Amino acid sequence: MRPIALFLSMLPLLCLGQGINAYAEITSISGNVLTVNTSSESVTSFAAGKDVVVMQMQDNVIGANTGNNASFGNLSAIQKAGSYTIRRIASVTRTGPTLTSITLTSAPGVVFNTGANCAVQAITFELLGGGGNYTVASALAPSIAWNGAIGGVLAFQVAGNLTVAANITADAVGFRGGARDRFNYTSPCNTTDYIWSSTGVGTDYFASKGEGIYKNTNTAIADGRGKMLNGGGGANQINAGGGGGSNYTAGGSAVLGWSCSADAGGIGGIGLSAQISASRVFMGGGGGGGEGNDDVSTDGANGGGIILIKAAQLKTTGTCSVRISADGGNAATSGNDGAGGGGGGGSIVLQV
């Protein structure tokens, strides 16, 4: 068994590259058959004989932690969030050009969850180098960012030696940042509403929470300063910032707000270090949105994505300026209003 190195990236966004993977949203699994809803095959296709990563991106991990209090967004049970397995494709079915199912040569071996608050995707685990050595000569990155159903993962294998001569990145393509609030606010300073609705009359008061490992389908809890697991909370008061997204460690919480004597900013996402292993990793949580009254508040930044690499040996060449990174994004500056929270760093798994 080759050693597996796990890295959690927490540095600023730097660069992008070309994609190599196809992605498919999995809505149900029966034995070794994966039912597909949406898919992206813009740079390559799912096909018999290819290896595929099946990964639980989000799960119903919040449990009863949905009350309007400081415990909102805490972890109840990790379920299958972050778990993944690698299998080989036996066949695929299509309706015209549209992918509808993937049949594996064997069952996944992990009981993935596909309920309303869950998200599972399949990613092609591309073999580069045709069974021999391979050099990354131009930058690689996921072909699409996470969009709530698919994307955000770069995965490939090399049977021989992998030489890294260009950047391999999944920067700011992970869980999405929360939307800013532009103008409205409550008065006096609101520090006690951890949840708020993002729709309907009287909702344009608080910024939105960043996205995390819980797939939220309830607009009634989408805004407010409470974190959303590893997604940062949205700001509650003028000039307060959004909470930082998280992954291995907790995200930073934002403070105060104009005319506040207590913190009204978003709460940072929770740390997931106790849940992380070589077979369970997470995208970085999105930062919460900033609050404003002058229309210069900013959205929360996206978290970093995931990189999976398997090779006999990994080497670098050149001037040592190349990098493998899954960094969280930085929110835009906000002038006189509150800025969004930064995105949490993503995850990198090297089996080399």
Side-chain angles (χ1 to χ4, degrees):
M1 182 72 177
R2 294 192 183 100
I4 295 176
L6 171 65
F7 299 89
L8 294 155
S9 187
M10 301 179 181
L11 299 174
L13 168 67
L14 290 179
C15 65
L16 300 175
Q18 67 181 11
I20 57 173
N21 300 108
Y23 307 89
E25 177 190 14
I26 307 303
T27 54
S28 67
I29 300 174
S30 178
N32 62 336
V33 179
L34 315 179
T35 300
V36 175
N37 184 19
T38 60
S39 60
S40 174
E41 298 179 280
S42 59
V43 296
T44 190
S45 299
F46 291 91
K50 277 192 175 184
D51 289 339
V52 65
V53 180
V54 184
M55 179 175 285
Q56 183 95 41
M57 309 304 296
Q58 295 171 300
D59 207 342
N60 191 5
V61 296
I62 201 169
N65 296 320
T66 56
N68 190 15
N69 53 61
S71 295
F72 178 89
N74 284 345
L75 178 66
S76 174
I78 195 62
Q79 309 289 359
K80 296 299 181 182
S83 298
Y84 69 95
T85 189
I86 298 171
R87 291 291 188 267
R88 183 151 293 175
I89 300 174
S91 63
V92 299
T93 58
R94 298 178 183 275
T95 300
T98 303
L99 183 70
T100 56
S101 71
I102 300 168
T103 300
L104 307 175
T105 58
S106 61
V110 175
V111 181
F112 293 104
N113 296 320
T114 56
N117 299 112
C118 309
V120 178
Q121 72 165 326
I123 309 107
T124 56
F125 193 39
E126 295 295 327
L127 177 64
L128 305 182
N133 300 331
Y134 183 78
T135 297
V136 177
S138 58
L140 297 179
S143 56
I144 59 172
W146 173 252
N147 62 15
I150 55 175
V153 180
L154 179 72
F156 66 90
Q157 55 187 318
V158 175
N161 296 332
L162 170 64
T163 300
V164 182
N167 292 340
I168 301 171
T169 63
D171 297 340
V173 296
F175 290 128
R176 296 165 294 181
R180 66 177 180 144
D181 187 42
R182 299 174 59 189
F183 298 115
N184 297 325
Y185 57 95
T186 60
S187 182
C189 181
N190 186 306
T191 64
T192 58
D193 277 314
Y194 298 87
I195 59 174
W196 200 265
S197 177
S198 61
T199 61
V201 177
T203 59
D204 190 18
Y205 287 137
F206 304 139
S208 295
K209 305 175 191 298
E211 187 180 26
I213 59 172
Y214 171 73
K215 187 178 182 68
N216 180 38
T217 58
N218 183 2
T219 58
I221 60 174
D223 290 0
R225 64 188 302 256
K227 71 276 184 192
M228 185 72 79
L229 281 301
N230 63 323
N236 275 23
Q237 189 67 15
I238 301 175
N239 300 347
S246 65
N247 192 350
Y248 188 82
T249 57
S253 296
V255 297
L256 300 179
W258 183 77
S259 78
C260 291
S261 59
D263 293 347
I267 296 173
I270 65 171
L272 295 168
S273 60
Q275 314 298 332
I276 291 170
S277 68
S279 59
R280 187 194 296 270
V281 293
F282 310 103
M283 297 194 298
E291 176 70 35
N293 66 318
D294 294 319
D295 199 19
V296 290
S297 55
T298 59
D299 296 335
N302 295 340
I306 293 172
I307 298 175
L308 306 175
I309 299 175
K310 180 181 179 181
Q313 187 179 60
L314 186 149
K315 303 186 291 184
T316 59
T317 186
T319 61
C320 295
S321 61
V322 296
R323 59 200 301 269
I324 301 175
S325 65
D327 300 343
N330 293 324
T333 56
S334 59
N336 196 43
D337 283 342
S347 301
I348 301 168
V349 180
L350 306 177
Q351 184 178 348
V352 296

